[in-house]
Amino acid sequence: MLTFVGLGLYDLGDITLKGLTYVKSADVVFLEAYTSRLMGTDLTAMEVFFGKEIRVLSREDVEQDPAEILERAAAGRVAFLIGGDPMVSTTHADLRIRAAAAGIETSIIHAASISSAVCGLSGLQNYRFGKSCSVPFPAGGWFPTTPIDTITVNLGLNLHTLVYLDIQDDRCMRIPEAIEIIEDMAERRGVEPPALYVGIARAGSEHPVVAAGSGSKLKETDFGPPLHVLAVPADLHPVEREYLETFAGL
């Protein structure tokens, strides 16, 4: 049995009671730590909280060589822990398909996701979001411009864009860095950069930071530690504008 367990947004208090019960009863616990992270806790605290040894998985462990995960799931109860909500990332969907192909029973225990938390914290209406995108750290001569293409298409359709920021082993992208990269992408593609951004830091914590404004304003805003995420709004509904004025300093 392979069960994908969402951990929620920020710390150990975010897991559902159903998820907690399953993890405590599991024979093996894996943690996928490359698509998202709980910044309000660490591995040691998680092992104490769950009363389980936790094996941390790399992207290669899940996407290229998941044999151990599947073997353990074929023989017993496996909890596969994921920050946020399972199946938001295609890597998790692929693993579930592989398990099904091997005749392994699977299930999902959902939790809060940044994709819905952004709506609550920003007031941007969820049905007005188009395709999301991710901004990676440039590496060497590699500088993809797909994110600005996605943002431009969404704005043309009067749709908001959720922009995920890169997470690496030794660093997590922050909002000012992301805006600099998006503006560079816009210049390279010969399009106007977004006029308005909403930046959100540490969603799910007791004191998240939410700020709306121009790129120059947000690049000077102190959002504090990660994780950070961006939204690029389209034309604002009056209620969306009032919400951002009230709670995000627009």
Side-chain angles (χ1 to χ4, degrees):
M1 177 72 170
L2 175 59
T3 297
F4 297 83
V5 182
L7 295 174
L9 294 169
Y10 185 72
D11 59 25
L12 292 170
D14 288 339
I15 192 171
T16 65
L17 180 58
K18 184 185 295 184
L20 177 61
T21 300
Y22 186 86
V23 176
K24 285 181 173 291
S25 69
D27 300 311
V28 181
V29 181
F30 293 106
L31 171 64
E32 181 273 279
Y34 60 86
T35 59
S36 185
R37 295 177 187 167
L38 297 191
M39 303 305 288
T41 188
D42 58 28
L43 180 62
T44 300
M46 292 177 70
E47 290 184 325
V48 171
F49 182 73
F50 293 125
K52 297 285 184 178
E53 179 181 354
I54 299 175
R55 160 86 183 279
V56 180
L57 301 170
S58 68
R59 183 181 293 274
E60 290 73 22
D61 293 328
V62 179
E63 296 183 355
Q64 297 178 19
D65 188 22
E68 182 182 359
I69 303 169
L70 299 177
E71 288 170 5
R72 294 295 189 95
R77 292 164 59 86
V78 169
F80 187 92
L81 308 183
I82 300 161
D85 186 51
M87 303 303 150
V88 173
S89 173
T90 55
T91 185
H92 308 141
D94 178 71
L95 180 61
R96 191 179 187 204
I97 291 169
R98 293 191 191 207
I104 298 168
E105 185 180 358
T106 65
S107 65
I108 302 170
I109 300 177
H110 294 283
S113 167
I114 190 62
S115 60
S116 57
V118 162
C119 300
L121 290 169
S122 69
L124 298 176
Q125 296 163 357
N126 68 332
Y127 61 86
R128 295 198 59 216
F129 277 81
K131 181 181 177 181
S132 61
C133 61
S134 299
V135 175
F137 285 109
W142 181 68
F143 192 90
T145 56
T146 302
I148 192 63
D149 296 336
T150 298
I151 291 168
T152 301
V153 168
N154 283 343
L155 289 175
L157 297 171
N158 201 23
L159 297 174
H160 308 318
T161 308
L162 176 59
V163 183
Y164 298 101
L165 309 189
D166 200 0
I167 299 173
Q168 297 187 356
D169 290 339
D170 58 345
R171 58 179 176 167
C172 297
M173 187 179 291
R174 300 178 184 233
I175 288 162
E177 294 175 289
I179 292 173
E180 287 278 6
I181 293 171
I182 290 170
E183 291 177 342
D184 195 352
M185 290 177 183
E187 183 177 355
R188 291 173 184 237
R189 298 294 283 171
V191 299
E192 288 295 317
L196 178 64
Y197 297 89
V198 180
I200 297 173
R202 296 174 306 287
S205 70
E206 291 186 8
H207 302 289
V209 175
V210 185
S214 65
S216 58
K217 174 185 173 181
L218 264 59
K219 284 189 286 186
E220 298 300 320
T221 300
D222 182 8
F223 284 94
L227 293 175
H228 292 187
V229 70
L230 268 177
V232 177
D235 294 338
L236 296 173
H237 182 278
V239 175
E240 293 176 317
R241 179 172 296 279
E242 183 177 6
Y243 199 103
L244 288 171
E245 290 172 347
T246 302
F247 298 109
L250 180 63

